[in-house]
Amino acid sequence: MKFVVPSKISQDFKKLVEDMKKHKLNLMELHYKDVRETEFKGIKVTSIFGNLRDYKYLLFLSEELGVDYLLFNVRKEDLRKLRRVEEEAKKHGVKIAIENNRDFRTPSDVYYALSDTDIGFVLNTSNARDYSRNIEGFIKMLRDRIVGIHLSDWYQGIGGLPYSLGESAFLDPVLEEFKKGSVVLDLDPRYSVEDVVISIDKLKQRIRKL
C-alpha cells in the first residue's frame, strides 16, 4: 500500500514539504488552499481536492501535474454542473471524482448520482462510518468506480483520526481490498506529519495480519 499525505494538515506548506522529505514521504494530495503553491521538488502530487467553482484552473493544474484524479467536494445541487465539468475534464485528460459525504451518504446515493458518467469515486472511510456504517457496501457496489481512498479512523462521530485512535477494525475491509493500492491519510488538520508516520507504521502492522 502506498500512503499519501494531504496538504490540508499544515498551514505552512514549505514546512510540510520539508517534514515529508525528512520522513521519506513523497506523495501528496494537494488541498484547494494550496493550489497556488509551486515548490513541489521531490514531491509527487497524486490528487487535488478542490472546489467546483475553481474547476477551470484546477483542470489546468491537474493536467500540468499529471494527477491520478481531481476530487471535487460537491452537494446534490452541483450534479448538473459536475457533468458539464466532466466533459471539460475529458478534453484535458483529467479524471474527476466525488466522495461520499452528508449529501451522498449511502452506496446507492453515490451509485445513482454517478450513473451514466465516467466520474470516479473516492471512498471516505470516516464519512462512511458516520453516515451509513456500511463500508463493505461502498466497496461491493462501487468497486469499479473507486479511484482513491480517504482513510482515517473514527470514534463516536469524530472522524479524521490517526489510525488506532478509534474503532479501527471497521477499516479492515478497506485495507484488505486495497492493500496494493494507495490511500490518502485524511487526518484532521490538528494532526501533523508525525501523526501520519505513526498511522502508517500501525497500518503496515495491521495489513500484515490480514
Side-chain angles (χ1 to χ4, degrees):
M1 183 175 282
K2 297 179 181 178
F3 301 99
V4 182
V5 179
S7 71
K8 74 173 187 178
I9 64 172
S10 177
Q11 295 301 313
D12 186 336
F13 190 82
K14 183 178 180 180
K15 184 176 185 302
L16 172 65
V17 170
E18 290 173 354
D19 288 345
M20 287 178 63
K21 290 179 179 178
K22 181 175 70 174
H23 291 286
K24 298 182 179 180
L25 299 169
N26 63 355
L27 302 178
M28 176 189 288
E29 176 173 87
L30 193 64
H31 192 260
Y32 57 80
K33 71 178 177 61
D34 299 312
V35 295
R36 303 291 175 175
E37 297 289 347
T38 58
E39 295 300 322
F40 297 114
K41 189 175 181 180
I43 300 294
K44 165 64 177 172
V45 177
T46 61
S47 57
I48 297 175
F49 186 24
N51 287 317
L52 200 56
R53 66 174 178 267
D54 300 320
Y55 78 89
K56 290 185 178 181
Y57 173 70
L58 294 177
L59 288 176
F60 164 77
L61 183 63
S62 296
E63 184 178 13
E64 285 290 302
L65 294 176
V67 302
D68 296 333
Y69 60 86
L70 167 57
L71 173 62
F72 287 113
N73 183 27
V74 299
R75 306 292 299 274
K76 286 183 177 178
E77 58 265 29
D78 297 323
L79 288 178
R80 183 174 296 179
K81 181 176 181 179
L82 186 70
R83 289 174 181 247
R84 294 198 301 270
V85 171
E86 183 193 14
E87 295 305 311
E88 287 293 315
K90 288 178 178 178
K91 297 175 185 177
H92 289 268
V94 174
K95 183 74 171 181
I96 66 170
I98 68 170
E99 68 176 358
N100 50 309
N101 57 26
R102 61 182 178 178
D103 272 28
F104 306 102
R105 296 178 175 230
T106 68
S108 294
D109 289 341
V110 177
Y111 181 86
Y112 288 113
L114 300 184
S115 61
D116 301 320
T117 76
D118 293 319
I119 297 169
F121 172 58
V122 173
L123 173 58
N124 184 307
T125 60
S126 283
N127 285 352
R129 182 65 172 170
D130 206 16
Y131 296 132
S132 76
R133 298 179 179 268
N134 187 15
I135 290 227
E136 292 91 340
F138 282 105
I139 295 172
K140 290 177 181 177
M141 185 173 285
L142 296 156
R143 180 181 281 108
D144 293 340
R145 283 196 183 267
I146 294 176
V147 295
I149 305 292
H150 271 187
L151 189 143
S152 62
D153 218 332
W154 181 98
Y155 182 72
Q156 294 186 355
I158 302 172
L161 300 177
Y163 185 78
S164 82
L165 288 190
E167 300 176 9
S168 308
F170 84 96
L171 292 168
D172 282 354
V174 177
L175 301 183
E176 187 149 21
E177 181 74 22
F178 301 102
K179 62 175 64 175
K180 293 184 179 180
S182 63
V183 299
V184 178
L185 275 299
D186 191 37
L187 305 190
D188 187 275
R190 68 180 179 271
Y191 295 105
S192 67
V193 172
E194 284 70 25
D195 295 300
V196 170
V197 172
I198 292 170
S199 286
I200 289 172
D201 288 342
K202 291 182 179 296
L203 281 164
K204 287 180 177 178
Q205 293 174 31
R206 181 58 182 164
I207 289 169
R208 284 195 290 267
K209 296 178 180 178
L210 294 176

